[in-house]
Amino acid sequence: MAELLVARFEHMPPQLRVAARFVLDHPKDVALMSMREQAHQAGVSHSTMMRLARWLGLQGYEDMRSLYARALRETVAGEPGRRGAGQGGDPGYSTAGVIADTLAAQISSLGEYGNASQFIAAAALLARSRNLFGLGSRSGYPVASHFVHIMSFLAGGDRKVTLVGEMGGHGLDALQGAGRDDVLLAVGMSPYERMTIDVARQSARQGVGVVAITDSSVSPLARIARETIIVTSNSQSFFRSMAPAFAAVEILAALTAARSEVNAAQRVKQSEGQLAAFGIYWKPPR
């Protein structure tokens, strides 16, 4: 069904594309939620969901729900995607399942009580800050960049959110005037980059509040930071995973936004509207 939706997506009327996108992105919801609930979540009428089913050659939307419900039951009961290699299938199916399960467990553990308390303390520090800075090198750089992008929606007035360091960020001179009312988020995993450690240490000397996202409570960043969020970077493959660090940034941003007087959701909507007016976003052919 997913393959059929993808194959026919470009030829669907606009409203059906919205409904199809919901089905593709939320297969479990298709199995578990009523058609009207799904329509509400997708932002279309329930008749649009019915038309989607008929467009795909089904009698009605209940037939689609039944297909997805059966697939969900089979997955829960037999985990067929994890047993592909054992049944003579491509071993890649098993590998994909193991990696996905590992990442899901690592990210889920961030919500446990001890970890959640770290997020709450760090978010309180961020919410009180005058200016925010993101710092990371090599694999930590995209995580810091993601933090700066999200938190820029909480900026305004005299408050700035700045990416510092290598790979296109602002120069380290951006931190020259930083002080005790500012906060630096530093991202670093073993093996730790010297630049990240040195900049975080100098920032702390200037009175800047350092929040670290790192992989150990005894990492050099943790010893510098005022608040530390510990994430694992273990992977079932040859590389260190940064997925938990990205998840940590998003949790931290959500908690900080909840403490902010700025309506971040409205800021995002305004920003996307302005970008759309400039033709930044792709539009499907009518």
Side-chain angles (χ1 to χ4, degrees):
M1 182 60 67
E3 291 174 358
L4 187 61
L5 285 168
V6 172
R8 298 188 178 184
F9 189 81
E10 293 296 336
H11 305 290
M12 292 179 182
Q15 284 296 97
L16 288 192
R17 282 201 294 264
V18 174
R21 176 69 181 266
F22 176 85
V23 173
L24 287 168
D25 291 348
H26 305 88
K28 289 185 179 179
D29 289 342
V30 175
L32 300 174
M33 295 169 60
S34 72
M35 181 186 68
R36 291 183 180 275
E37 288 175 316
Q38 293 177 49
H40 177 73
Q41 291 287 334
V44 298
S45 66
H46 69 276
S47 61
T48 299
M49 307 301 283
M50 295 174 63
R51 285 194 296 119
L52 176 64
R54 296 193 185 105
W55 178 274
L56 298 171
L58 301 173
Q59 292 294 318
Y61 198 77
E62 197 58 36
D63 291 342
M64 181 179 287
R65 286 191 66 239
S66 296
L67 286 171
Y68 276 83
R70 185 175 65 193
L72 181 60
R73 286 195 299 271
E74 290 174 353
T75 299
V76 172
E79 293 293 331
R82 304 294 188 264
R83 302 181 314 181
Q87 297 177 348
D90 189 328
Y93 290 115
S94 178
T95 301
V98 169
I99 292 174
D101 286 345
T102 300
L103 290 176
Q106 290 172 344
I107 292 172
S108 178
S109 70
L110 296 177
E112 295 174 358
Y113 179 80
N115 294 328
S117 63
Q118 294 175 335
F119 281 107
I120 292 169
L125 185 60
L126 292 175
R128 297 193 302 268
S129 68
R130 178 183 59 183
N131 296 309
L132 291 172
F133 300 90
L135 171 68
S137 301
R138 296 172 60 82
S139 61
Y141 174 82
V143 181
S145 178
H146 190 45
F147 168 78
V148 168
H149 171 68
I150 297 175
M151 297 303 293
S152 66
F153 294 108
L154 297 178
D158 295 330
R159 191 187 209 193
K160 297 179 181 179
V161 183
T162 306
L163 181 64
V164 298
E166 61 179 20
M167 299 175 67
H170 289 271
L172 300 181
D173 55 345
L175 284 162
Q176 285 185 0
R180 62 186 182 87
D181 294 326
D182 302 316
V183 173
L184 170 75
L185 179 86
V187 183
M189 310 294 168
S190 177
Y192 308 103
E193 288 82 7
R194 181 181 299 276
M195 189 275 285
T196 301
I197 305 304
D198 289 345
V199 173
R201 182 176 289 116
Q202 179 57 36
S203 297
R205 287 173 182 156
Q206 294 175 205
V208 175
V210 176
V211 174
I213 294 181
T214 188
D215 57 353
S216 171
S217 58
V218 295
S219 82
L221 275 179
R223 293 196 292 270
I224 295 168
R226 193 175 303 176
E227 302 292 346
T228 301
I229 295 169
I230 305 299
V231 299
T232 182
S233 61
N234 295 335
S235 169
Q236 295 295 322
S237 190
F238 63 92
F239 54 85
R240 293 185 179 275
S241 175
M242 299 304 291
F246 276 105
V249 160
E250 296 187 3
I251 294 170
L252 192 56
L255 289 171
T256 305
R259 290 167 166 74
S260 174
E261 297 179 357
V262 176
N263 187 332
Q266 184 62 31
R267 287 278 185 87
V268 172
K269 185 176 180 179
Q270 290 173 351
S271 175
E272 290 182 347
Q274 291 171 351
L275 292 173
F278 282 109
I280 298 297
Y281 298 126
W282 174 84
K283 290 184 179 180
R286 294 286 182 177

